[in-house]
Amino acid sequence: MPTLPTPPVLPLDLLTTIQERRTVDLSALKPDPIPRPVLEGLLEAANWAPSHGQTEPWRFVVFTGAGRATLARTLSTSLVLLKGQTEPDPETLKMQLARQQLAPVWMVVAAEPSEKPRMPLYEEQWAVACAVQNLMLAARSQGIGSKWISNPPSLHPNTASSLGFAEGAIMMGMLYLGYVRDDPADWPAGKRRPVREKVRWIEDEQHQ
């Protein structure tokens, strides 16, 4: 009997995508690479985030394949600098290299305000957060898991300078991405309290 081709992953509708986007553990990811056109599509989704004044401050550096070793070396150096040392020891570098191999794609994210910013810096950071959310939702719609990390090494000035971000860039952490293994349990179930607990409605004029 001939083997049937694997059906393509169909994008989810928007509300389902929002409800089912979850942080996915590294252990739940397949090692399969994500094709470059798919990654470019996710970055295109990020590029349509809102930004006050149309500043578009989001910046990404993408690491795949052997390029992940560059990120591992950078983070190892940032980690030891945080500890007051200057060079990563072999064990630290080995551990970081192993960690970067657990996801096929890593992205370091920053906000790069203009030299003469017209908007408050916090608004530039908010815009980047919107871009990251766009990217993670687009990923979820195609069966790709993600996690946004903002640990000290990813935010360190050494990480910014080593990866070529502009002077004055505000580091916003990093993401990892990967296709999720076939076990449905690898997609964590989400839970939220009722939205009515978090909303107040004012439908008539209030007199003080």
Side-chain angles (χ1 to χ4, degrees):
M1 183 175 181
T3 302
L4 297 176
T6 302
V9 176
L10 298 178
L12 303 174
D13 67 86
L14 180 57
L15 182 57
T16 301
T17 296
I18 292 170
Q19 292 174 333
E20 294 192 1
R21 186 221 55 81
R22 302 262 67 78
T23 290
V24 176
D25 290 337
L26 284 168
S27 61
L29 301 182
K30 298 178 181 179
D32 308 31
I34 301 175
R36 175 74 172 263
V38 173
L39 293 174
E40 290 175 343
L42 303 185
L43 291 163
E44 183 66 19
N47 196 40
W48 283 93
S51 61
H52 191 186
Q54 300 181 340
T55 56
E56 303 176 30
W58 40 85
R59 300 292 185 272
F60 297 87
V61 179
V62 184
F63 301 87
T64 64
R68 291 172 291 178
T70 297
L71 176 60
R73 286 191 293 270
T74 298
L75 294 174
S76 295
T77 300
S78 296
L79 183 60
V80 298
L81 288 172
L82 284 163
K83 297 177 180 178
Q85 303 168 7
T86 56
E87 293 291 335
D89 59 85
E91 189 61 28
T92 297
L93 181 56
K94 180 181 177 180
M95 290 176 61
Q96 199 66 55
L97 286 166
R99 178 172 172 78
Q100 257 64 72
Q101 292 299 312
L102 295 176
V105 179
W106 294 78
M107 297 183 181
V108 177
V109 189
E112 284 191 2
S114 63
E115 292 183 4
K116 296 181 180 179
R118 295 179 295 146
M119 303 300 162
L121 294 181
Y122 59 78
E123 291 202 18
E124 303 290 68
Q125 292 173 280
W126 293 348
V128 175
C130 290
V132 170
Q133 177 75 343
N134 276 11
L135 190 153
M136 292 192 298
L137 290 174
R140 177 62 187 95
S141 75
Q142 299 185 57
I144 297 171
S146 64
K147 183 177 181 178
W148 187 5
I149 303 167
S150 55
N151 58 17
S154 69
L155 305 177
H156 196 275
N158 172 72
T159 302
S161 59
S162 297
L163 299 183
F165 289 105
E167 185 176 354
I170 304 168
M171 300 305 293
M172 299 285 289
M174 59 187 177
L175 310 171
Y176 62 68
L177 299 156
Y179 291 109
V180 177
R181 298 186 187 277
D182 297 329
D183 186 344
D186 286 330
W187 280 110
K191 185 177 181 180
R192 293 290 188 273
R193 301 191 312 277
V195 69
R196 64 177 178 272
E197 296 179 6
K198 308 163 190 175
V199 180
R200 293 184 299 115
W201 296 80
I202 300 176
E203 299 180 307
D204 297 307
E205 183 178 0
Q206 302 294 301
H207 298 280
Q208 300 295 328

